[in-house]
Amino acid sequence: MQGLVEIRWHARAGQGAVTASQLIAETALEEGKFMQSMPEYGPERTGAPLRAYTRVSDEPIEIHNNVTHPDIVIILDDTLIELTDVLEGIKPNGKILVNTRLCKEDMEEKLGCSEGIEVAVVPATDIALDTIGRDIPNAPIAGALSKFTELISLDNLLDHVERSFSEKFSQQVVQGNLESIQMAYEDVSY
């Protein structure tokens, strides 16, 4: 399928990966694209490893299974690298975005990426703690993804988050998330 981008998210329950997947998909929809967002749930408890999936396309999406050959892998907790094969099935020219304090070169070495895989790093947890006061790195990772991949625009992401979060959260929480998105957009390194 031409124009299809598939994303696999690796996170721990409670980090907001499912919400981030939905934010990316809904923002893409508002930009006139087709989308899917799916969690992979089991008997997860807070802190348990989980996966989520996002598809964004210029054409209708006719596949409805989990993403097995992602264009983009997002890792919200770098301790998962030792626990699971985060690179499983990644396309030869794939992109990996990692929430970590490590520099890009150290993360490339830790991942053992093959030639052609592009790695980006952002301290999303630190940004979330600074802006919203909680270890929920989903909003900053969405901001970093916007810059790293240009899959969705930053302005559209900020607009979508402001509208959707305002329905559920206080203005202080909304503003903290908007700030975290902007900071991660500026701080992502690749």
Side-chain angles (χ1 to χ4, degrees), residues 1-20:
M1 180 179 294
Q2 195 170 16
L4 175 67
V5 176
E6 296 184 301
I7 304 170
R8 185 176 63 222
W9 303 74
H10 292 272
R12 292 188 182 277
Q15 291 185 305
V18 173
T19 300

Side-chain angles (χ1 to χ4, degrees), residues 8 11 47 69 112 123 138 142 145-146 157 164 177 187:
R8 185 176 63 222
H69 297 288
N138 60 346
L145 178 69
S146 173
L157 175 62
S164 64
N177 277 282
D187 288 353

Side-chain angles (χ1 to χ4, degrees), residues 9 38 42 50 71 80 98 102 122 126-127 152 177 180 182:
W9 303 74
M38 306 163 280
L50 66 79
D71 299 283
L80 293 171
V98 186
L102 294 178
V122 65
D126 293 343
I127 291 170
I152 56 169
N177 277 282
S180 74
Q182 186 71 47

